[in-house]
Amino acid sequence: MALLQRLARLAAYLQDPQKVADFQRLCGVEGPPGWAASLPLAEARGEPGPLANGSCPAVNGGGGGDGWPRLRAAAGGEKRRPKGLGNGAIPGGAGGEGAPQQEDGKEPQQIWGRRQPRRNSLTGEAACQEIAIRNPFLYYLFNLGTELGNELFYILFFPFCIWNLDAWVGRRLIIVWVWVMYLGQCTKDVIRWPRPASPPVVKLEVFYNSEYSMPSTHAMSGTAIPLALVLLSYGRWQYPLMYGLILVICWCSLVCFSRIYMGMHSILDVIVGFLYAILILVVFHPAVDLIDNFNLTFKHAPLIIISLHLALGVFSFTLDTWSTSRGDTAQILGCGAGVACGSHFNYMLGLMQDPSPDTLPLIPPSITVTLFGKAILRLLIGVVLLLLTRIVMKKITIPLACKMFSIPCDDIRQARQLMEVELPYRYITYGMVGFSLMFLVPCLFLFIGLS
């Protein structure tokens, strides 16, 4: 009993949003003047307090009423719009009535640059906090870290692995990624813990603000992908194990710390995400070879793959009301199904054959101008085709789903919050992207002599 009480106290300590705010201040992120006192002030006035999984209204002084944040820096320059702030009203925020002013009527120190935050097109969330960035290096470093768990990274990393490095490793990486992300997203919708309260936390991102917090799926993918990459490639390729361990530590640390820096997760969310990903790998890794061989060789594999992934998507949509996590889950499952089906057709037609076991371990080739140029050309052409596929399928599937289920499509944002539209749109669109990644684009490379 005493042990459970100690664990509960430790969990409460690690979940405390003040610890997130302390880490942000240590890294040079500061809220507006009076930010720490804005929560009790709001409660005394009967105004909205912290918002934990919701959009951030444009409040007095918080963003000038236009929904945009105001970013101040340590050195002179123009104002800059950060990558997004959500989730936290600022009663009497900086620039509004009651905001503290500098002595002698001087304006607050202004900062570097201006940029538009990454908004969520479905939720319309925008930033409304004035912040100061005292360490631009850490700001960009942790923005890079958080991008390692976003779609832009995935649409570059997985194709590069499959087209330029090793399709065998790439297929298995995607299998691991699909299961880790699916279990993480479903766990969020079961536990339903909110994001860290703001204030005291300063939100530097709002794109995933409508999702729940526990566990951090960024931390899960940031742990599972590099660890699985080393587990799958070491012994198959000749390289020092120390290089792989350094990659795992740097990648995982950067992603995990970035989620605390961005104000999107508590320390507990990140730790649980890290441990959860390791647990999934321990349980699931022995079955990866079996699943990949089934996808390649079983005659009716495509039918089973499509049905299973679709059923998992329907199940995830029943766990909670609408949030961006539901669409992301369908997107991940669709991509996994498309890659698995593309792998099956590759195997049946004898395309992209894996090296025979007697050639292992593989020796990394010397990097030449020709080799590098071909790799970049494959990536550029292939990614452009994948993006075009996504655009075309989106234009087709959303109106088609609305028509099939008699749903008005005048307001696309509202229509996409319905399972009848969001699930088929995401599943079919990204299923086609995954199929193109694994089958159609490699066929094109073979045809034009880029394979």
Side-chain angles (χ1 to χ4, degrees):
M1 194 64 173
L3 177 61
L4 291 177
Q5 289 177 344
R6 264 185 245 143
L7 289 175
R9 283 196 297 271
L10 177 61
Y13 176 84
L14 295 175
Q15 198 185 5
D16 183 4
Q18 187 60 50
K19 301 299 180 293
V20 178
D22 292 343
F23 178 77
Q24 289 182 308
R25 280 198 299 274
L26 181 66
C27 295
V29 178
E30 298 178 10
W35 176 245
S38 59
L39 175 57
L41 180 62
E43 291 174 346
R45 293 178 177 177
E47 296 174 352
L51 303 176
N53 274 41
S55 60
C56 183
V59 295
N60 181 27
D66 61 357
W68 295 110
R70 299 291 180 261
L71 175 63
R72 300 177 296 118
E78 54 181 326
K79 290 183 180 179
R80 180 183 185 88
R81 290 173 180 164
K83 180 169 181 166
L85 290 157
N87 209 6
I90 313 173
E97 292 183 17
Q101 302 292 331
Q102 287 191 347
E103 294 181 4
D104 303 326
K106 293 181 181 179
E107 290 293 323
Q109 196 174 18
Q110 299 298 319
I111 297 209
W112 42 278
R114 178 187 290 266
R115 81 188 280 264
Q116 182 176 345
R118 183 169 178 243
R119 304 176 69 191
N120 192 312
S121 61
L122 282 180
T123 63
E125 291 174 278
C128 61
Q129 299 168 346
E130 182 179 278
I131 61 174
I133 300 296
R134 305 295 180 189
N135 192 324
F137 171 75
L138 289 181
Y139 175 78
Y140 286 114
L141 178 67
F142 286 128
N143 267 272
L144 171 64
T146 208
E147 284 298 331
L148 294 179
N150 290 340
E151 182 181 354
L152 176 62
F153 168 73
Y154 295 139
I155 209 167
L156 293 173
F157 174 73
F158 288 132
F160 185 84
C161 285
I162 291 170
W163 299 335
N164 294 321
L165 297 179
D166 191 344
W168 185 93
V169 171
R171 291 195 311 265
R172 285 161 168 77
L173 266 181
I174 290 177
I175 291 171
V176 170
W177 170 70
V178 168
W179 279 102
V180 165
M181 294 299 292
Y182 177 76
L183 291 173
Q185 295 284 24
C186 288
T187 304
K188 278 186 177 182
D189 288 339
V190 170
I191 297 177
R192 303 183 185 183
W193 283 9
R195 299 280 184 184
S198 176
V201 173
V202 178
K203 292 299 178 71
L204 297 175
E205 179 183 292
V206 295
F207 191 79
Y208 298 106
N209 205 38
S210 64
E211 295 182 14
Y212 293 108
S213 185
M214 168 66 76
S216 167
T217 46
H218 270 76
M220 291 180 69
S221 67
T223 301
I225 291 178
L227 194 53
L229 180 61
V230 172
L231 289 172
L232 292 168
S233 62
Y234 186 71
R236 179 177 174 83
W237 287 85
Q238 285 187 4
Y239 65 87
L241 179 60
M242 183 58 63
Y243 291 176
L245 295 178
I246 292 172
L247 174 69
V248 171
I249 293 170
C250 292
W251 187 332
C252 180
S253 301
L254 182 58
V255 175
C256 290
F257 282 112
S258 74
R259 301 315 286 163
I260 302 173
Y261 178 89
M262 302 301 284
M264 296 304 291
H265 286 285
S266 68
I267 299 173
L268 183 63
D269 297 336
V270 171
I271 292 174
V272 171
F274 169 78
L275 296 176
Y276 195 15
I278 292 177
L279 175 63
I280 293 171
L281 275 178
V282 169
V283 173
F284 193 68
H285 184 260
V288 170
D289 283 340
L290 181 65
I291 293 171
D292 187 54
N293 289 332
F294 171 84
N295 292 341
L296 296 179
T297 60
F298 188 66
K299 182 179 179 181
H300 303 294
L303 180 61
I304 296 173
I305 290 165
I306 292 171
S307 302
L308 176 62
H309 285 70
L310 185 59
L312 291 173
V314 172
F315 171 75
S316 70
F317 270 61
T318 65
L319 292 177
D320 191 33
T321 55
W322 184 87
S323 72
T324 53
S325 67
R326 299 203 318 180
D328 290 343
T329 303
Q331 180 174 312
I332 291 162
L333 291 170
C335 185
V339 168
C341 290
S343 303
H344 179 81
F345 282 99
N346 271 337
Y347 179 82
M348 291 300 175
L349 296 176
L351 305 174
M352 291 183 68
Q353 294 183 354
D354 297 325
S356 59
D358 59 321
T359 63
L360 303 179
L362 302 172
I363 300 174
S366 301
I367 298 177
T368 63
V369 174
T370 303
L371 183 68
F372 180 78
K374 277 192 169 184
I376 295 301
L377 192 58
R378 277 193 292 264
L379 186 65
L380 290 175
I381 294 174
V383 168
V384 168
L385 291 175
L386 295 183
L387 293 175
L388 289 175
T389 301
R390 186 181 68 168
I391 293 170
V392 171
M393 294 305 298
K394 180 179 179 179
K395 295 291 185 183
I396 295 172
T397 52
I398 293 179
L400 183 61
C402 289
K403 187 175 181 179
M404 286 180 60
F405 294 100
S406 302
I407 296 171
C409 59
D410 300 333
D411 187 346
I412 296 297
R413 179 188 294 179
Q414 200 67 28
R416 282 180 55 184
Q417 295 188 11
L418 300 174
M419 183 183 77
E420 294 84 354
V421 175
E422 185 78 342
L423 179 57
Y425 148 60
R426 296 271 194 162
Y427 188 80
I428 295 172
T429 297
Y430 285 90
M432 196 64 201
V433 169
F435 186 76
S436 300
L437 160 66
M438 202 68 218
F439 181 71
L440 297 181
V441 173
C443 285
L444 174 65
F445 291 158
L446 186 64
F447 179 75
I448 63 177
L450 265 181
S451 59

